[in-house]
Amino acid sequence: MPSIGSVLESRKGVGPGFDTLRIGLAFSVIGWHSFHIVAGEPHPLADLHFFWFPGYAILSMFFALSGFLITASATRLSLGNFILNRGLRIVPALLVEVVLSAIVLGAIFTTLPLSEYFRSDGFWRYFGNVAGFVSLTLPGVFETNPDHAVNTSLWTIPFEIGCYALMAGLILCKCLHRPRLVLMLCAAFGVIAIAIYLADPAFTSTSSLDPRDIFVGSGGSRLFISFLLGIAIYLYRFDIEYSRQAALACLVFCLVVAAVGPLPGALLNVFVTPALVYLTAYIGVSDLPKLPFFHRGDYSYGVYLYGYPLQQTIVAVWPSQINVAVLFALAAIATTAFAMFSWHVIELPILKLRSRFSFVGGTRIQALEPAE
């Protein structure tokens, strides 16, 4: 039976399914946020059988995908080139989105006088998002919306930076060439998470500095283990079968958990995330058909960045005429346009710079360029 690695190798190291999966996950984030933006806190689906599960699975699969693909590049890079590579991929598009939100969107929708708005601490604090210092609101902006955040999606930025720091440590310690050490890290994560859960099943973090958040926190803990398992499955790709039966078994398992749950974060991280990571890798290396229109570029990052502020803008402009379906449809169109701008004007030119020292950057350009 073929392995994940042999299937990936047969396709010259590029998993065509990752493109489809990436854009599907990005629009799934918009769909999930649509319910929250229309209804406000708490998320109306968060505690419902089946429907709570996408809120856990979407970002877990995103970070597993990131761990898998970044490892493919990181095994060929020095530490310095890895840091430069990641910085060029993430920061320019993020910087543009943050600047547009703060200066343009904020100026249009703030209820404060512009002179007061541009002098406010909240305005300047918002730029800290580029460095991972999360600030989700701008002074006086979207005050009449059910949710007041400008871009809730940015909450994952510090966890993304944390994952890159983890990868930098693995490169520095040469762990990417010793897969058993990575596997031991995954096992240690699971053991610590279960130990924390057994010691305090009702654990709720009261401080962002609590180290237990890394293992059992309600939000970001799943992102670390998903990223780490994504690394592991890439390193063991030739030892892991590419099996439709295994993928179906993982899918059925996830559906059962969705029907039973919601479950504590520690149990999800340890027992469910590995199934999600396998599904991510299986779908990613599969030869899925390219999506019409979206094969012209990798629009997923732009969709993720611009989805929330555009959804909030739509609600602010048409507050009495918006339901979840209408919001999703309008936001999908508007976000795609902004994602195209982000890709073709910002991300693709930077990707061409990355291609000089990044295997993934070079192969991404080759995959996206039209045939002669």
Side-chain angles (χ1 to χ4, degrees):
M1 180 173 289
S3 65
I4 295 287
S6 64
V7 173
L8 184 65
E9 194 174 62
S10 71
R11 297 183 174 123
K12 300 180 180 179
V14 177
F18 283 120
D19 291 336
T20 302
L21 182 59
R22 236 191 312 245
I23 200 68
L25 291 172
F27 279 104
S28 295
V29 171
I30 293 179
W32 180 257
H33 284 163
S34 295
F35 290 91
H36 169 70
I37 289 172
V38 169
E41 292 284 1
H43 197 291
L45 302 182
D47 296 318
L48 296 180
H49 289 306
F50 282 109
F51 295 103
W52 67 273
F53 193 73
Y56 178 86
I58 293 168
L59 288 180
S60 297
M61 295 181 76
F62 243 138
F63 271 68
L65 183 154
S66 179
F68 187 97
L69 294 180
I70 287 174
T71 305
S73 177
T75 53
R76 298 171 172 85
L77 296 177
S78 67
L79 178 60
N81 278 345
F82 169 76
I83 294 171
L84 180 60
N85 189 34
R86 287 294 90 204
L88 290 174
R89 179 66 186 101
I90 298 301
V91 173
L94 175 61
L95 175 63
V96 171
E97 189 281 325
V98 168
V99 168
L100 289 176
S101 291
I103 295 178
V104 179
L105 198 65
I108 293 172
F109 287 100
T110 185
T111 57
L112 301 177
L114 289 182
S115 58
E116 182 179 344
Y117 170 76
F118 286 118
R119 289 199 307 268
S120 66
D121 291 340
F123 169 76
W124 292 104
R125 191 181 306 118
Y126 196 79
F127 292 97
N129 284 307
V130 179
F133 299 102
V134 175
S135 179
L136 300 180
T137 61
L138 283 166
V141 178
F142 299 138
E143 283 191 342
T144 59
N145 284 18
D147 177 61
H148 305 317
V150 175
N151 195 348
T152 291
S153 295
L154 299 184
W155 77 268
T156 63
I157 296 298
F159 295 98
E160 193 164 2
I161 293 172
C163 288
Y164 296 159
L166 171 62
M167 178 64 83
L170 295 177
I171 294 173
L172 190 62
C173 298
K174 302 187 185 303
C175 291
L176 297 182
H177 301 288
R178 291 180 283 181
R180 288 185 181 180
L181 293 179
V182 176
L183 205 58
M184 289 171 62
L185 279 177
C186 294
F189 187 104
V191 170
I192 295 171
I194 293 299
I196 294 172
Y197 172 71
L198 292 176
D200 185 5
F203 167 74
T204 301
S205 175
T206 57
S207 170
S208 60
L209 300 178
D210 192 328
R212 291 176 294 179
D213 270 350
I214 296 174
F215 304 97
V216 298
S218 60
S221 63
R222 70 187 190 271
L223 307 183
F224 285 122
I225 187 58
S226 297
F227 186 83
L228 191 56
L229 286 170
I231 296 172
I233 201 171
Y234 179 82
L235 296 179
Y236 281 95
R237 63 195 181 279
F238 289 107
D239 300 305
I240 299 172
E241 291 185 351
Y242 175 80
S243 167
R244 180 178 299 177
Q245 290 75 19
L248 286 174
C250 289
L251 178 60
V252 170
F253 175 63
C254 289
L255 291 175
V256 171
V257 171
V260 172
L263 299 179
L267 300 182
L268 291 172
N269 292 345
V270 174
F271 298 110
V272 180
T273 299
L276 291 172
V277 174
Y278 181 83
L279 283 171
T280 301
Y282 178 86
I283 295 170
V285 301
S286 297
D287 191 14
L288 299 183
K290 292 184 177 181
L291 295 174
F293 182 78
F294 288 99
H295 68 277
R296 300 176 184 178
D298 180 6
Y299 301 146
S300 57
Y301 188 40
V303 170
Y304 185 80
L305 284 179
Y306 287 98
Y308 206 94
L310 289 172
Q311 287 176 290
Q312 285 284 66
T313 299
I314 293 167
V315 172
V317 173
W318 295 293
S320 62
Q321 302 175 15
I322 288 297
N323 57 44
V324 170
V326 172
L327 177 60
F328 177 78
L330 293 176
I333 296 170
T335 303
T336 299
F338 273 82
M340 290 177 62
F341 156 77
S342 181
W343 172 256
H344 292 289
V345 177
I346 303 163
E347 297 170 61
L348 182 58
I350 295 296
L351 185 64
K352 291 179 178 179
L353 292 177
R354 290 172 60 216
S355 68
R356 298 177 183 177
F357 52 85
S358 169
F359 168 77
V360 172
T363 53
R364 289 293 298 144
I365 289 177
Q366 293 176 10
L368 291 167
E369 284 180 343
E372 296 295 339

